[in-house]
């Protein structure tokens, strides 16, 4: 980003445009995935024939060319998991040396990975068990791993503390009194049921019946034909089991398992079955690539870029509420004074109370209005708008059709046809301007 800032300012402009940063990061993630992920597969799969199949399967998976080209923490975790297993395998295979360099690199990788996502240990439990005999024989390897782990952790704590306390006069003083330990904060947040309920609670079999089929499609049944699971497969199974114990589960939590599993399976041996299997694999990834790469939550970035580019939003408040979307990246606003309030998957009654409560009073002589970004497919929002038209004013400022909210699917209550007509037929994301009706506002002010 420093290089991008230097090139941009050289053109005479003060700051890098958020849109340019966004696409630069997407390009960076594509390059990292293309180089590091393929390189790791070459290291993990020894047989040239099996390696060719593994590389083709991983490269053709929609997960690789959608999720892995985003700046998701899960995409970064995928690369860290792969290379942690590569380092572990190098240490395990080299029985006659201490492998100090590989141990040191592994320690740094694990520390970086935990500060990126605390779910990393779930993937690395099998490699850790395999490494115990080596560390017992070669204690200096363990010492090198612990040293780089601690050094990387201290550096990460310093960077996070500086980021969240930029106005502090003394970084050392803040580190000694109020350091920001991201994994600890994340652990505290994710062990609270009330916090997880904001994102949605799931049964323990959610990953098995929904996440893995969604990520792997026709590749999933081939797992049962693996005779002897390798280290990659054991890591994927370990993470699936351990992460299933967490009440909140999303498919992206298992992203690192995808290349691990795809590099461990084999297509059907029968030429006829293999032909049909590859046809189903291509169709599955083509459909899911369009669905997840373009439409699922596809309007979030566009909406945030639009908000950041508008000098006048016709709002008398800088508050913009986001409901039932992915968390909007606030840096896309480009330093505007807009305050993003992420309501996540909050219950509709709570959301309505917060939005309507924020519209009372006047600002600049006008009734206070706020922004609301919500899926166009929400029937609950429709009912509220119809009910409150005599009290509230709703003005549509912006809308995109390239947005599907798959979290809004409710086949049990609405049925299959009605649900698809609502979620797919009314796909889109809308930015509303919400304010109280002028007459109601006058009555409220008069009563005060």
């Amino acid at each position: 980003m420093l290089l991008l800032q230097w090139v941009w300012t050289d053109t005479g402009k003060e700051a890098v445009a958020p849109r340019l940063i966004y696409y630069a990061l997407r390009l960076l993630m594509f390059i990292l995935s293309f180089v590091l992920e393929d390189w790791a597969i070459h290291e993990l799969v020894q047989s040239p024939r099996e390696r060719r199949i593994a590389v083709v399967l991983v490269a053709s998976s929609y997960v690789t060319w959608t999720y892995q080209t985003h700046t998701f923490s899960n995409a970064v975790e995928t690369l860290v998991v792969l290379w942690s297993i590569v380092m572990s395998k190098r240490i395990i295979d080299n029985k006659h040396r201490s492998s100090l360099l590989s141990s040191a690199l592994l320690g740094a990788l694990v520390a970086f990975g935990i500060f990126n996502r605390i779910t990393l240990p779930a993937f690395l439990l099998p490699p850790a068990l395999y490494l115990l005999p080596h560390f017992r024989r070669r204690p200096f390897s363990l010492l090198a791993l612990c040293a780089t782990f601690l050094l990387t952790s201290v550096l990460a704590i310093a960077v996070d503390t500086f980021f969240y306390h930029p106005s502090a006069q003394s970084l050392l003083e803040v580190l000694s009194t109020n350091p920001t330990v991201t994994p600890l904060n994340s652990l505290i947040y994710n062990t609270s049921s009330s916090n997880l309920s904001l994102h949605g609670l799931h049964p323990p079999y959610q990953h098995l019946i929904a996440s893995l089929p969604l990520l792997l499609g026709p590749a999933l049944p081939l797992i049962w034909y693996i005779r002897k699971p390798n280290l990659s497969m054991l890591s994927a199974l370990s993470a699936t089991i351990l992460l299933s114990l967490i009440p909140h589960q999303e498919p992206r939590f298992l992203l690192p398992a995808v290349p691990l599993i795809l590099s461990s399976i084999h297509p059907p041996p029968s030429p006829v079955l293999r032909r049909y299997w590859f046809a189903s694999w291509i169709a599955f990834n083509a459909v899911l690539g369009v669905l997840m790469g373009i439409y699922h939550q596809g309007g979030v970035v566009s909406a945030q870029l639009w908000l950041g580019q508008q000098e006048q939003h016709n709002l008398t408040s800088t508050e913009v509420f986001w409901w039932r979307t992915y968390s909007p990246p606030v840096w896309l606003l480009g330093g505007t004074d807009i305050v993003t309030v992420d309501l996540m998957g909050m219950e509709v009654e709570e959301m309505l109370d917060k939005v309507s409560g924020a519209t009372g009073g006047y600002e600049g002589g006008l009734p206070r209005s706020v922004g609301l970004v919500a899926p166009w497919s929400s029937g609950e929002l429709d009912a509220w708008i119809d009910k409150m038209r005599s009290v509230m004013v709703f003005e549509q400022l912006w809308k995109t059709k390239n947005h599907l909210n798959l979290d809004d699917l409710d086949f049990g209550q609405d049925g299959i046809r009605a649900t698809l007509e609502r979620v797919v037929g009314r796909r889109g994301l809308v930015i509303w301007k919400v304010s109280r009706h002028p007459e109601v506002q006058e009555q409220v002010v008069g009563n005060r």
Side-chain angles (χ1 to χ4, degrees):
M1 289 303 104
L2 290 175
L3 178 62
L4 187 62
Q5 180 74 40
W6 174 72
V7 173
W8 189 257
T9 52
D10 199 46
T11 63
K13 299 181 180 180
E14 294 183 358
V16 183
R19 184 183 295 273
L20 180 61
I21 296 176
Y22 172 74
Y23 286 112
L25 290 173
R26 290 292 303 273
L27 178 61
L28 176 63
M29 288 304 299
F30 167 76
I31 294 172
L32 288 176
S33 175
F34 182 76
V35 175
L36 296 180
E37 192 169 8
D38 282 12
W39 186 1
I41 298 299
H42 277 75
E43 291 258 359
L44 294 173
V45 183
Q46 299 300 316
S47 167
R49 179 177 175 275
E50 293 179 355
R51 187 187 301 142
R52 286 195 297 269
I53 295 174
V55 169
V56 168
L57 291 179
V58 172
S60 60
S61 171
Y62 82 92
V63 172
T64 302
W65 34 274
T66 56
Y67 289 109
Q68 282 302 124
T69 58
H70 277 278
T71 53
F72 292 142
S73 60
N74 310 91
V76 176
E77 184 183 34
T78 300
L79 299 178
V80 174
V81 167
L82 285 170
W83 277 95
S84 295
I85 297 176
V86 168
M87 292 298 118
S88 300
K89 196 168 181 300
R90 287 181 182 179
I91 296 170
I92 295 167
D93 292 343
N94 194 352
K95 301 182 184 299
H96 303 292
R97 294 186 180 181
S98 297
S99 300
L100 293 179
L101 179 59
S102 295
S103 299
L105 289 174
L106 179 59
L109 276 171
V110 172
F112 173 78
I114 291 176
F115 274 82
N116 174 64
R117 287 191 65 83
I118 58 170
T119 53
L120 181 77
F123 291 93
L124 299 185
L125 179 60
L129 295 177
Y130 273 91
L131 285 170
L132 287 178
H134 175 85
F135 289 143
R136 192 178 297 115
R137 294 192 310 268
R138 309 283 184 176
F140 283 106
S141 294
L142 181 59
L143 185 62
L145 185 148
C146 293
T148 54
F149 179 88
L150 290 174
L151 182 62
T152 306
S153 298
V154 170
L155 180 61
I157 292 173
V159 171
D160 288 345
T161 302
F162 178 75
F163 180 82
Y164 289 105
H165 301 87
S167 58
Q169 294 182 352
S170 174
L171 179 60
L172 290 176
E173 182 180 347
V174 178
L175 283 172
S176 60
T177 57
N178 187 27
T180 300
V181 186
T182 303
L184 178 61
N185 295 337
S186 181
L187 185 64
I188 293 172
Y189 181 88
N190 286 284
T191 51
S192 170
S193 298
S194 58
N195 290 335
L196 293 180
S197 65
L198 296 174
H199 305 270
L201 301 178
H202 305 97
Y205 49 82
Q206 178 77 12
H207 279 322
L208 185 63
I209 67 169
S211 299
L212 285 177
L214 183 65
L215 294 171
L216 296 171
L220 183 60
L222 299 181
I223 294 176
W224 306 110
Y225 296 97
I226 298 177
R227 295 179 182 178
K228 186 179 179 181
N230 55 25
L231 189 57
S232 298
M233 191 67 212
L234 290 174
S235 296
L237 292 176
S238 166
T240 303
I241 293 171
L242 293 176
L243 295 181
S244 294
L245 302 177
I246 301 174
H248 175 64
Q249 300 171 29
E250 296 180 31
R252 64 186 178 92
F253 295 170
L254 295 182
L255 286 193
V258 174
L260 297 177
I261 293 174
L262 292 180
S263 61
S264 304
I265 61 174
H266 303 90
S270 168
V272 176
L273 288 178
R274 182 179 300 182
R275 194 159 47 245
Y276 282 115
W277 185 86
F278 272 112
S280 65
W281 175 251
I282 293 171
F284 168 78
N285 286 288
V287 172
L288 268 294
V290 172
L291 180 63
M292 306 304 291
I294 298 176
Y295 287 103
H296 180 55
Q297 298 289 343
V300 173
V301 170
S302 300
Q304 197 74 317
L305 285 172
W306 184 86
L307 286 169
Q309 291 172 349
Q310 308 304 308
E311 294 183 1
Q312 178 62 41
H313 299 287
N314 202 21
L315 302 175
T316 54
S317 168
T318 58
E319 280 189 300
V320 177
F321 293 87
W322 288 71
W323 181 58
R324 288 189 177 174
T325 69
Y326 280 172
S327 294
V330 294
W331 59 270
L332 288 176
L333 294 172
T336 63
D337 57 354
I338 293 175
V339 177
T340 298
V341 182
D342 187 8
L343 302 181
M344 296 178 283
M346 183 179 289
E347 291 295 329
V348 63
E349 293 80 9
E350 251 187 292
M351 180 275 291
L352 302 180
D353 288 342
K354 286 188 176 293
V355 174
S356 59
T359 58
Y362 283 87
E363 285 194 17
L366 298 172
R368 192 171 190 264
S369 61
V370 297
L372 172 63
V373 186
W376 179 246
S377 60
S378 174
E380 297 163 314
L381 189 59
D382 290 343
W384 182 57
I385 291 175
D386 290 338
K387 179 182 177 181
M388 302 295 290
R389 285 195 184 278
S390 60
V391 180
M392 311 288 289
V393 178
F394 302 89
E395 180 184 347
Q396 187 181 124
L397 299 179
W398 179 89
K399 179 183 176 183
T400 179
K401 294 286 285 183
N402 291 340
H403 183 93
L404 267 175
N405 183 32
L406 298 181
D407 300 324
D408 207 20
L409 294 172
D410 194 351
F411 296 116
Q413 181 175 343
D414 300 335
I416 295 176
R417 181 176 178 179
T419 299
L420 292 178
E421 287 178 350
R422 176 173 57 84
V423 175
V424 180
R426 292 190 54 198
R427 65 185 182 278
L429 189 68
V430 181
I431 300 178
W432 299 94
K433 172 188 174 183
V434 184
S435 60
R436 295 194 181 185
H437 198 282
E439 296 180 0
V440 175
Q441 184 67 27
E442 290 296 334
Q443 292 176 4
V444 171
V445 174
N447 292 334
R448 290 177 181 173

